[in-house]
């Protein structure tokens, strides 16, 4: 009896082994989160390509096995066979290469934090269930993770014609990968506002602000929907705030939801849709990070890595990862 | 190397702000043709916030950029057709569409400390065979030497010209001179230097002239100053001053004076001038395009626009953060009610 119970506890305690590819801000922050907070995932190998990177040095200090030889270095390590989830925090281009390795292994899944989006977009509180059997899921962008839940919250109540988001991030929180690929942010986020948020047309804007001390990430969501019960929209938005807070505690509505009428005789011209009228909803958000790798201002980093972590943990908890 | 004076008109881009991005196609065409007839060297056309700026955040246009640009190129006899793109708003895909409509020159605009986000766009524009300007906005927020380092980055990506862009109309003459000098110190001789002013402190013409005297050769201006805030350097005034100074340009003064008074002043929805609100922009160092949005927020929430602008300046908001105007107004409103 006792031995059976011990065996059960041992199994229960066993965490799923994961690897992170990409030793920049996102990869390093995700590693710290897994080590400090995850009860389901165990950090096995941290993969970079620059032996001098701060991320690899940090991993070594934290006692994590590393390779600076990229994915090809990882697959040659003895740890590889036990790794079930690979988080890819490299770049869109590198992700295509990395996935060409991972897809050969039926027991492994990949969570893509680049804008490559080979697999479907996943925003945990909105469409996790759609992707449970997908081998490769994409986490959209930081701005997408922060705002698409809110577009979806409005969509639950009223048909959303148009969803627009503005992400303002501190200059210091934007790494070289983000800076060199601003278009990928704009395009990926716009598309995911439509596909996951449920808007007929999506638009994304990103602004970098260099103020000192650095500003905490701000996101604004504007939707134009059919006329609907404003209180129902407000309640849906507040409920969604709580859902996101489950994995990003620093995610808050910074102001009360604002409504404006766009009357039929004064419609707005939206490219790709034409003239539209209805209800404009404005949602002003703040995302304060957990301060794991970069300080609290870097909510953009936090929401991306937290969403990826939440996805990985849920895959494990719902026994969707093959043992 | 002495570069030729090159006058770029921004009536149909920066001027969009003053008319809430509502130019009709006919207005665009008539104004562009008048500018071309007056031998302005370049005409910039797009939403005020650049290609694809049409949005809740910046205001929807009466037309798409493509509708505004279409059919203009073939009717120009002298001027280059140009446009503006802000990385984070427009994309390379949009730039290609503009190029296909005959745009041969583009300015890629970033905040004065964020030049590195322009690399992919500058390189792509050069690959498309375009003339490219790097546009360092809110130039008063970066000191001359550091601003010049940002200019050098844009040059390294392939920019043919780099601008000191005084988006807040907050620079004074020494500030302009120091920045142009710093550019000249670090940039290659073959890279041109440009100046873009706003008239919020009534220094639009003076600052443009100072920049020119320190080696800037690409000068931005607009008819009757039509632009964000108190407007840009008024084009017809600039040309008059240059003529009196004996500086040669291609532009025809009287034709510009006529266009300013006959085509532009009658269509201004809000007078473009230095007044309490627009002076506040220059005084507080705030992005000129915030003007009309702040006035709207002030009206909606029962506040003073000047106070909103001042608070935006204190919070160090940069170009593009128009959404934060609502945020500031709501904070001020709840403070007032508390």
């Amino acid at each position: 009896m006792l031995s059976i119970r011990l065996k059960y506890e041992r199994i229960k305690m066993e965490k799923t082994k994961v690897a992170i590819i990409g030793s920049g801000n996102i990869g390093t922050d995700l590693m710290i989160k897994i080590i400090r907070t995850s009860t389901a995932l165990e950090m096995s190998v941290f993969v970079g390509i620059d032996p001098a990177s701060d991320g690899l040095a940090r991993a070594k200090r934290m006692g994590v096995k590393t390779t600076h030889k990229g994915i090809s270095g990882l697959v040659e390590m003895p740890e590889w066979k036990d790794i079930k989830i690979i988080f890819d925090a490299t770049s869109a281009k590198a992700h295509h290469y990395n996935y060409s390795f991972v897809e050969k292994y039926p027991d492994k899944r990949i969570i893509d934090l680049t804008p490559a989006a080979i697999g479907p977009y996943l925003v945990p509180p909105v469409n996790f269930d759609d992707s449970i059997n997908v081998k490769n899921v994409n986490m959209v962008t930081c701005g997408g993770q922060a705002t698409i839940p809110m577009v979806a919250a409005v969509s639950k109540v009223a048909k959303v014609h148009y969803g627009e988001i503005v992400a303002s991030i501190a200059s210091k929180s934007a790494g070289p990968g983000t800076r060199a690929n601003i278009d990928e942010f704009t395009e990926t986020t716009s598309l995911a506002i439509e596909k996951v948020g449920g808007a007929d047309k999506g638009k994304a804007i990103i602004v970098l602000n260099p103020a000192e001390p650095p500003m905490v990430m701000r996101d604004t969501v504007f939707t134009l929907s059919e006329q609907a019960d404003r209180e129902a929209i407000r309640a849906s938005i507040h409920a969604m705030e709580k859902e996101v807070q489950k994995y990003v505690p620093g995610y808050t509505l910074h102001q009360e939801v604002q409504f404006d009428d766009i009357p039929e005789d004064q419609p707005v011209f939206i490219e790709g849709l034409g003239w539209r009228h209805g209800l404009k909803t404005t949602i002003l958000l703040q995302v304060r990070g957990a301060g794991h790798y970069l300080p609290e201002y870097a909510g953009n980093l936090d929401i991306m890595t937290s969403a990826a972590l939440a996805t990985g943990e849920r895959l494990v908890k719902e026994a969707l990862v093959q043992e | 190397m002495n570069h030729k004076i090159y006058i770029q008109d921004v009536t149909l881009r920066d001027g969009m702000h003053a008319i809430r991005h509502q130019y009709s196609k006919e207005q665009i065409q008539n104004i562009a043709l008048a500018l071309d007839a007056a031998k302005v060297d370049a005409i910039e056309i797009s939403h005020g916030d650049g290609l694809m700026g049409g949005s809740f955040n910046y205001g929807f246009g009466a037309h798409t950029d493509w509708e505004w640009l279409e059919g203009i190129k073939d009717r120009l006899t002298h001027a280059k057709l140009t446009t503006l793109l802000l990385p984070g708003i427009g994309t390379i895909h949009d730039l290609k569409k503009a190029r296909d409509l005959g745009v041969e020159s583009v300015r890629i605009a970033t905040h004065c400390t964020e030049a590195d986000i322009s690399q992919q766009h500058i390189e792509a524009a050069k690959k498309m065979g375009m003339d490219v300007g790097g546009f360092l906005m809110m130039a008063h927020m970066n000191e001359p030497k550091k601003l010049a380092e940002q200019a050098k980055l844009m040059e390294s990506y392939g920019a043919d010209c780099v601008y000191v862009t005084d988006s807040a109309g907050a620079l004074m003459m020494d500030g302009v001179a120091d920045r142009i000098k710093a550019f000249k110190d670090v940039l290659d001789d073959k890279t041109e230097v440009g100046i873009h002013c706003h008239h919020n402190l009534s220094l639009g013409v003076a600052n443009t002239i100072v920049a020119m005297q320190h080696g800037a050769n690409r000068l931005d201006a607009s008819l009757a100053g039509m632009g964000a805030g108190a407007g840009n350097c008024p084009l017809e005034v600039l040309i008059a001053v240059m003529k009196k100074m004996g500086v040669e340009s291609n532009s025809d003064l009287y034709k510009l004076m006529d266009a300013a008074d006959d085509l532009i002043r009658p269509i201004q929805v809000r007078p473009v001038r230095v007044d309490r609100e627009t002076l506040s922009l220059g005084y507080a160092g705030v992005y000129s395009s915030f003007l009309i949005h702040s006035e709207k927020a002030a009206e909606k929430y029962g506040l003073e626009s000047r106070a909103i602008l001042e608070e935006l300046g204190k919070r160090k908001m940069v170009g593009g953060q128009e959404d934060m105007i609502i945020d500031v107004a709501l904070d001020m409103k709840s403070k007032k009610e508390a």
Side-chain angles (χ1 to χ4, degrees):
Chain A
M1 180 73 189
L2 184 69
S3 68
I4 289 169
R5 201 173 139 200
L6 276 175
K7 199 176 165 194
Y8 171 74
E9 299 239 304
R10 197 184 60 79
I11 290 167
K12 204 179 117 191
M13 292 294 291
E14 197 143 302
K15 294 182 180 180
T16 300
K17 292 190 166 59
V18 305
I20 295 172
I21 318 174
S23 62
N25 289 346
I26 291 177
T28 310
D29 189 69
L30 179 59
M31 171 183 71
I32 297 172
K33 279 192 165 56
I34 291 171
I35 293 171
R36 290 205 193 144
T37 71
S38 185
T39 52
L41 308 182
E42 181 182 315
M43 200 47 227
S44 177
V45 182
F46 190 71
V47 183
I49 49 167
D50 173 10
S53 75
D54 179 56
L56 280 176
R58 179 73 68 110
K60 282 179 198 154
R61 283 207 299 280
M62 294 182 86
V64 174
K65 290 235 163 55
T66 64
T67 169
H68 65 264
K69 292 178 181 161
I71 183 87
S72 48
L74 174 65
V75 298
E76 278 164 20
M77 292 172 78
E79 288 79 7
W80 173 245
K81 69 177 186 348
D82 294 324
I83 289 168
K84 301 295 177 194
I85 298 176
I86 296 98
F87 292 98
D88 191 344
T90 57
S91 66
K93 206 173 154 195
H95 178 69
H96 284 271
Y97 182 71
N98 294 337
Y99 185 54
S100 71
F101 280 80
V102 175
E103 69 178 338
K104 292 179 204 142
Y105 297 85
D107 66 326
K108 302 187 200 304
R109 299 179 64 141
I110 194 159
I111 296 175
D112 169 23
L113 291 88
T114 79
I118 296 173
Y121 298 131
L122 197 157
V123 179
V126 183
N127 69 337
F128 181 85
D129 294 338
D130 300 347
S131 302
I132 49 180
N133 293 314
V134 180
K135 194 171 172 63
N136 180 341
V137 291
N138 176 268
M139 302 310 296
V140 196
T141 59
C142 60
Q145 288 295 339
T147 57
I148 290 167
M150 289 305 171
V151 178
V154 180
S155 285
K156 278 185 188 177
V157 182
K159 170 87 203 103
V160 174
H161 305 305
Y162 173 72
E164 173 183 320
I165 72 104
V166 186
S168 298
I169 65 173
S171 296
K172 274 192 175 166
S173 71
T178 305
R179 289 171 174 276
N181 296 290
I182 289 284
D183 275 12
E184 289 172 349
F185 173 95
T186 324
E187 286 166 353
T188 303
T189 311
S190 302
L191 200 56
I193 291 168
E194 298 167 12
K195 292 199 163 171
V196 184
D200 282 345
K201 182 81 197 156
K203 180 170 182 68
I205 294 166
I206 183 168
V207 183
L208 273 61
N209 183 315
E212 285 292 339
M215 54 160 285
V216 174
M217 185 198 201
R218 294 297 309 269
D219 295 277
T220 301
V221 179
F222 302 99
T223 59
L224 179 64
S225 65
E226 289 175 345
Q227 286 293 350
D229 178 0
R230 296 181 182 197
E231 283 318 305
I233 291 178
R234 196 191 304 273
S236 180
I237 288 168
H238 281 274
M240 188 58 84
E241 179 191 21
K242 292 214 167 58
E243 280 303 306
V244 179
Q245 282 173 348
K246 286 181 184 164
Y247 59 96
V248 188
Y251 184 85
T252 50
L253 282 164
H254 198 250
Q255 306 282 359
E256 195 38 89
V257 181
Q258 303 292 305
F259 296 102
D260 295 273
D261 232 351
I262 308 282
E264 203 170 346
D265 60 349
Q266 289 169 56
V268 289
F269 182 81
I270 297 171
E271 183 159 353
L273 286 182
W275 295 97
R276 284 288 183 278
H277 62 95
L279 180 65
K280 176 186 175 190
T281 303
T282 303
I283 307 159
L284 293 146
L285 298 157
Q286 176 173 282
V287 187
R288 189 176 288 279
H292 284 134
Y293 180 52
L294 291 185
E296 285 187 348
Y297 62 76
N300 46 317
L301 195 60
D302 205 59
I303 196 154
M304 192 64 173
T305 55
S306 298
L309 176 58
T311 301
E313 290 190 326
R314 217 166 137 190
L315 289 174
V316 170
K317 282 175 185 155
E318 301 196 4
L320 296 165
V321 176
Q322 212 179 317
E323 282 297 331
Chain B
M1 191 191 289
N2 269 336
H3 295 286
K4 267 184 75 178
I5 293 291
Y6 176 99
I7 303 288
Q8 177 145 346
D9 173 83
V10 296
T11 310
L12 303 177
R13 200 278 305 163
D14 213 320
M16 284 278 183
H17 293 293
I19 191 171
R20 299 192 184 98
H21 319 281
Q22 298 299 308
Y23 281 123
S24 68
K25 281 199 65 166
E26 197 189 352
Q27 285 168 334
I28 291 267
Q29 198 164 91
N30 292 343
I31 296 164
L33 292 181
L35 287 162
D36 188 53
K39 297 271 190 292
V40 166
D41 300 303
I43 300 172
E44 187 168 74
I45 302 179
S46 74
H47 184 281
D49 295 87
L51 294 176
M52 290 304 287
S55 54
F56 274 126
N57 203 32
Y58 308 124
F60 290 105
H63 293 278
T64 63
D65 295 304
W66 330 119
E67 288 167 351
W68 279 320
L69 285 165
E70 198 179 7
I72 301 290
K73 158 75 182 165
D74 293 342
R75 301 191 59 183
L76 298 180
T77 57
H78 170 82
K80 269 189 189 171
L81 182 59
T82 78
T83 197
L84 176 82
L85 183 138
L86 275 73
I89 300 176
T91 64
I92 291 167
H93 179 82
D94 302 322
L95 189 57
K96 285 188 178 143
K97 258 169 117 172
R99 190 260 333 253
D100 293 345
L101 290 166
V103 170
E104 50 194 316
S105 169
V106 62
R107 271 104 66 96
I108 309 293
T110 75
H111 185 68
C112 57
T113 54
E114 313 298 318
D116 59 357
I117 66 167
S118 69
Q119 181 170 3
Q120 68 179 153
H121 308 83
I122 293 178
E123 287 174 355
K126 283 316 294 177
K127 255 190 217 150
M128 286 180 225
M130 297 175 99
D131 165 75
V132 185
F135 212 54
L136 289 163
M137 301 188 291
M138 298 290 273
H140 74 287
M141 289 177 88
N142 205 354
E143 58 181 270
K145 222 175 143 190
K146 287 196 169 159
L147 188 69
E149 285 167 14
Q150 297 289 307
K152 193 73 189 165
L153 280 179
M154 285 177 153
E155 176 186 72
S156 77
Y157 307 146
D160 301 288
C161 175
V162 190
Y163 285 79
V164 172
T165 306
D166 183 18
S167 321
L171 281 175
M172 286 173 288
M173 282 104 96
D174 286 349
V176 171
D178 291 346
R179 283 167 177 77
I180 301 288
K181 277 191 273 184
F183 276 27
K184 285 281 173 188
D185 285 345
V186 301
L187 296 179
D188 196 287
D189 266 355
K190 67 176 196 300
T191 304
E192 297 178 46
V193 171
I195 180 77
H196 175 96
C197 294
H198 280 265
H199 205 52
N200 304 337
L201 296 174
S202 279
L203 296 175
V205 180
N207 280 348
T208 306
I209 296 293
V210 166
M212 183 188 79
Q213 288 172 326
H214 287 86
N217 68 296
R218 293 203 188 187
L219 315 179
D220 273 16
S222 65
L223 291 168
M226 188 73 167
N232 299 104
C233 171
L235 174 55
E236 63 285 2
V237 185
L238 177 69
I239 299 302
V241 171
M242 284 168 57
K243 277 189 177 298
K244 286 179 78 77
M245 290 171 73
V247 179
E248 281 191 34
S249 75
N250 296 316
S251 306
D252 181 316
L253 174 61
Y254 284 0
K255 283 185 177 161
L256 292 174
M257 285 163 75
D258 290 343
D261 275 60
D262 298 341
L263 297 179
I264 301 300
R265 289 192 210 282
I267 61 172
Q268 288 178 347
V269 283
R270 181 203 189 285
V272 177
R273 65 179 183 208
V274 184
D275 56 24
R276 179 178 49 196
E277 283 71 32
T278 61
L279 172 56
S280 300
L281 293 164
Y283 189 64
V286 175
Y287 199 56
S288 298
S289 321
F290 285 4
L291 174 71
I292 289 183
H293 302 281
S294 298
E295 288 182 330
K296 213 170 131 191
E299 195 190 325
K300 182 171 177 189
Y301 298 109
L303 301 161
E304 248 185 48
S305 345
R306 180 173 55 191
I308 296 177
L309 293 169
E310 198 182 0
E311 182 61 24
L312 287 162
K314 271 191 208 149
R315 294 193 190 184
K316 297 180 189 155
M317 290 304 158
V318 305
Q321 292 190 282
E322 272 77 346
D323 55 324
M324 289 297 114
I325 296 170
I326 311 165
D327 190 63
V328 162
L330 287 167
D331 280 349
M332 290 173 69
K333 182 175 167 255
S334 61
K335 212 169 153 189
K336 203 172 136 191
E337 285 164 359

